[in-house]
Amino acid sequence: MSNRQQVTIEAEGFSVGYDGNVVLSTGKVELTGNVIALAGHNGAGKSTFMKALLGLLPPESGQLRARNANTGELLRPERHMAFCPETGSVFSDITVKEYLKLWCRLKAPRGNYFQQEGAELLEVLELYPLLPKKGRELSKGQKQRVQTAAGFFTNPLFFLFDEPFDGLDVQRTHELMNIIRERSPNIAFLVSSHRMDVVERLADRVLVLQEGKVKTYGPTNEVSRHLCERMFVIEDCSAPEILREKLEANFPESFVYQLGESIRFASSGTSQEELLGFIRQVDTNGARMSEVSPTLTDAMSLHLRLLKQDSEIK
Amino acid sequence: MAGLRLALSLLRIPRLFVSLLLFPLFLSVILVIIQLWVTSFAMRTVTYTPKNLSEQFEERQKNNLVRKLVYGKGERVEHLEICRWQNIVDENGQHFEVPPQNGKCAPDRLDIAIHVKNPTSFDTSEYERIFEGNFERMHVCVRDCIPDAILSPEAEHPRADAYSFPALMLMNQVYFDEPEQKQYIKLFENKYNVLQSVGTQFFHANGYVAPVQLTNVTYELGLLASIASIVIIALWLAIKAHRRVLDYFARSGALLPMVAAMGKRDFYSAIWIVTILRVGAFLLASVPATYALFAGLGEAEDWGGIFERDIGHLLLWIVCLVVSFSFAAIVASIADLKHRYQLFAVCYRYLPLGLAVLGGAVWTLSFVLGDEGGLIRDILTCLPILGMGPIILVPLFQPHLNVLVINTLLTLVLTIWLIRSNARWFAAHLEDL
């Protein structure tokens, strides 16, 4: 067992729906991790999954819950969890200081907790200049930082972030990742994101949703392998652009992209021999091909491409 | 406990204290005061007897507000000086008019003038009767006397022009002045005597525990209007508080984090606590004011048959009224929320009102029917929303207790069903609120 705070997400035949349409149906899931990422296409059910875990949506059937993996205790949203929505949140007509004070009065030991024990977090999140500003004067990213701080002030065991990296530049992304990493020994995280490059570096477990159902879940490398069985790197080809175009045309159920002079080829069904034979026909200069482990970015790209093809066929 | 902590924490933020509690409370109390003022004015007006009407008129003659504002004292102006202007010709052959040089006709802007073709022979007796007591001088000339109030009785279309607000007010005193008022009091006296001769009218309609009193019901109507308005304002405050807090959280994106952090039950408890504080503060301010007004108006016997024998009947009526208005407000609010993106969504808001008016119309028409009318009225009064009109009028048209009980129970059952059947939708659309 890791010495970091870990949670187990458990689902048993859980489903929720609006107006008779089921929008999330999980089947059976048991996933333990420290930083768990929720991935999937737009509308896959990531936000619904988070709201359901927070007990905000009444289930049609089954249950979805989180447990402290270190102690086995069932986590209650109001006691153990914090949540930062995609848009962040601060009341428009009160100052950030008043908003943080409100949160501290409600969930922290004292109203001025944020200026004492929480001062370091204000520094890290660069919130001091924002304290006198009103909610309506803040950008989306600033509101997210405020709500992130408010969430941390409640001393949660499990912090749920909905699309925290959306719209952040490289520097801010890096800073937020650091904050999550620094706190991960004591807090487990559930992070929904489209940014697979970030998720790959941050998360130890991934749960992929597809059209309201769980596609796969597990350790990041296993999920990548599940979504993308074979990943090849092709190097030393005479005309990489031409080869990429021909690969794309001939292997529609694959994801091909060029990185400098090399080509990366992700596929679930293509064998090494079949691919090598095709490359020899197109490129007679003796291009080299080697199989590598797929990254989560490659795997999700292939997954989304296949999903798009499916929907076009339908 | 957590709900109370959230409610108090919200109210400790000055901006929220003002918008959630202080401003709506202030507005509601103002509305009740206006309503009470209008009600008491209307009640005093319609409860005049020829005697107190005369007394009031005499008092107004001695202490007239307009004259107090214009001249600084409210009494009638003692004498109206008639100043007939004369036409003279100067050394250049120019014609012009001058007032009599008697020391009493120096023109003033607050005088009144009459423009006529022949000032010397014009008969002013009717105008003296009308304006006596309100103006000091009346100038009669062809065109050169021009104070702020000018009459032109010989124009093609007779007209009166006022060139200042005091002049306008003084000219309009004619409608409240002695000759006209005396005629009005005479007419009133005749009508009053007829009413006294006939006596209080009672209508014996089927289905009511007591005959319906049709005359001398001023106090009942006043009380009815006051209670209904207090109930309506209290419900408005309650529903608005709910929407206001939810809107406030939803617009800022804080709704979901806050609900998650507090737990649904505590979060909604907090909203209820804010709502109860709003309504409670309003009732604390408005109920004693209403009681004080009605306690000071009329004697006990003026209250006629209004639940005189049965305080339980009165309480049941108030409960029934509150339940009915709550149900109507919840129907309107839910329909409005669920369908607000549709083109005619605003119509849903007025759906209960429309149904209540329809029920009221059928109820009124039922009186022209014979014995069957009683049964129709009873059934209609039992029905939620459709029976709201008759329910409001219960102090006048007192149905059997069981009719009120059935209406209350049916409305309560429907309210619970409505809330339960929509709970899932609201839970699923929290952030849409």
Side-chain angles (χ1 to χ4, degrees), chain A residues 18-19 51 54-60 77-78 83 85 88-91 93-94 98-99 102-103 105-107 147, chain B residues 5-6 9-10 12-15 248-249 252-254 256-264 424-425 427-429 431:
Chain A
Y18 305 140
D19 307 326
K51 286 180 209 164
L54 288 162
L56 298 174
L57 300 177
E60 297 263 340
E78 65 273 23
F83 174 55
S89 55
V90 183
F91 295 136
D93 50 1
I94 66 172
E98 284 174 316
Y99 184 71
L102 170 69
W103 272 94
R105 273 191 200 130
L106 293 173
K107 302 291 286 187
Q147 189 56 44
Chain B
R5 204 164 69 236
L6 175 58
S9 299
L10 288 174
R12 278 177 70 178
I13 300 171
R15 174 72 178 77
Y248 191 74
F249 276 86
S252 66
L256 294 182
M258 196 62 93
V259 177
M262 298 304 298
K264 267 190 202 172
R424 179 176 289 275
W425 187 91
H429 293 79
E431 68 271 44

Side-chain angles (χ1 to χ4, degrees), chain A residues 10-67:
Chain A
E10 300 171 347
E12 187 82 54
F14 178 81
S15 68
V16 287
Y18 305 140
D19 307 326
N21 300 319
V22 173
V23 292
L24 179 66
S25 174
T26 61
K28 185 172 169 55
V29 174
E30 190 172 330
L31 179 63
T32 301
N34 174 238
V35 179
I36 301 172
L38 265 181
H41 56 91
N42 284 335
K46 299 188 292 293
S47 295
T48 306
F49 190 95
M50 284 201 168
K51 286 180 209 164
L53 202 55
L54 288 162
L56 298 174
L57 300 177
E60 297 263 340
S61 65
Q63 51 188 346
L64 174 66
R65 56 195 183 186
R67 202 178 278 285

Side-chain angles (χ1 to χ4, degrees), chain B residues 81-365:
Chain B
E81 187 71 30
I82 307 297
C83 307
R84 293 176 190 275
W85 287 37
Q86 292 159 347
N87 188 22
I88 58 169
V89 184
D90 67 5
E91 59 270 24
N92 300 321
Q94 293 279 336
H95 288 259
F96 60 94
E97 293 176 292
V98 292
Q101 303 300 311
N102 56 7
K104 296 176 184 170
C105 285
D108 187 280
R109 287 191 66 187
L110 287 175
D111 294 344
I112 188 163
I114 305 180
H115 286 185
V116 291
K117 286 175 188 152
N118 193 344
T120 318
S121 61
F122 182 75
D123 179 12
T124 58
S125 55
E126 175 67 4
Y127 296 95
E128 287 173 47
R129 187 185 70 78
I130 292 173
F131 294 110
E132 175 92 51
N134 288 309
F135 289 94
E136 290 177 342
R137 281 168 291 275
M138 181 186 282
H139 302 276
V140 187
C141 69
V142 178
R143 62 177 181 278
D144 287 346
C145 52
I146 41 176
D148 284 351
I150 299 174
L151 304 179
S152 308
E154 292 177 353
E156 190 181 358
H157 300 288
R159 55 187 289 163
D161 297 279
Y163 295 93
S164 69
F165 192 67
L168 181 70
M169 288 196 298
L170 283 175
M171 272 210 298
N172 277 287
Q173 283 302 297
V174 64
Y175 303 111
F176 308 103
D177 229 332
E178 192 168 24
E180 282 65 32
Q181 286 292 318
K182 280 190 173 158
Q183 285 175 34
Y184 174 75
I185 290 169
K186 184 72 189 159
L187 282 172
F188 182 80
E189 202 170 34
N190 290 345
K191 186 184 162 206
Y192 185 80
N193 290 339
V194 170
L195 285 172
Q196 291 300 104
S197 306
V198 172
T200 304
Q201 283 184 21
F202 291 93
F203 176 46
H204 294 257
N206 271 354
Y208 295 110
V209 292
V212 180
Q213 188 177 332
L214 297 177
T215 49
N216 296 332
V217 288
T218 315
Y219 290 93
E220 285 87 339
L221 284 174
L223 184 66
L224 202 142
S226 298
I227 292 178
S229 73
I230 286 176
V231 170
I232 289 169
I233 293 172
L235 283 169
W236 171 76
L237 278 173
I239 301 264
K240 202 76 183 160
H242 252 84
R243 284 295 299 274
R244 179 99 182 89
V245 179
L246 285 174
D247 273 353
Y248 191 74
F249 276 86
R251 270 187 283 116
S252 66
L255 183 66
L256 294 182
M258 196 62 93
V259 177
M262 298 304 298
K264 267 190 202 172
R265 181 172 295 185
D266 285 329
F267 182 80
Y268 286 112
S269 305
I271 296 182
W272 274 111
I273 289 167
V274 172
T275 304
I276 289 166
L277 282 175
R278 272 162 72 119
V279 175
F282 164 69
L283 291 178
L284 270 176
S286 58
V287 171
T290 308
Y291 179 79
L293 171 83
F294 283 94
L297 280 174
E299 302 298 326
E301 59 266 24
D302 291 325
W303 293 90
I306 185 163
F307 303 121
E308 59 186 353
R309 288 174 301 277
D310 194 354
I311 189 75
H313 211 145
L314 173 67
L315 290 176
L316 182 59
W317 172 61
I318 292 177
V319 169
C320 189
L321 203 63
V322 170
V323 170
S324 290
F325 275 111
S326 304
F327 181 59
I330 290 170
V331 168
S333 182
I334 288 179
D336 185 33
L337 269 175
K338 285 181 84 167
H339 303 284
R340 64 185 153 157
Y341 298 119
Q342 291 175 6
L343 187 59
F344 297 106
V346 72
C347 299
Y348 284 101
R349 202 177 296 175
Y350 302 104
L351 188 69
L353 183 67
L355 287 173
V357 169
L358 178 70
V362 174
W363 178 81
T364 309
L365 285 175

Side-chain angles (χ1 to χ4, degrees), chain B residues 12-61:
Chain B
R12 278 177 70 178
I13 300 171
R15 174 72 178 77
L16 285 187
F17 178 75
V18 170
S19 68
L20 288 179
L21 203 65
L22 203 62
F23 178 69
L25 182 64
F26 178 73
L27 188 69
S28 313
V29 171
I30 293 284
L31 280 175
V32 166
I33 289 170
I34 292 173
Q35 181 269 327
L36 287 176
W37 184 80
V38 171
T39 304
S40 65
F41 178 78
M43 285 169 67
R44 286 199 178 95
T45 307
V46 295
T47 53
Y48 283 145
T49 61
K51 185 169 175 286
N52 62 25
L53 191 65
S54 295
E55 284 168 2
Q56 205 202 35
F57 167 68
E58 278 163 23
E59 171 60 26
R60 213 186 289 157
Q61 288 302 309

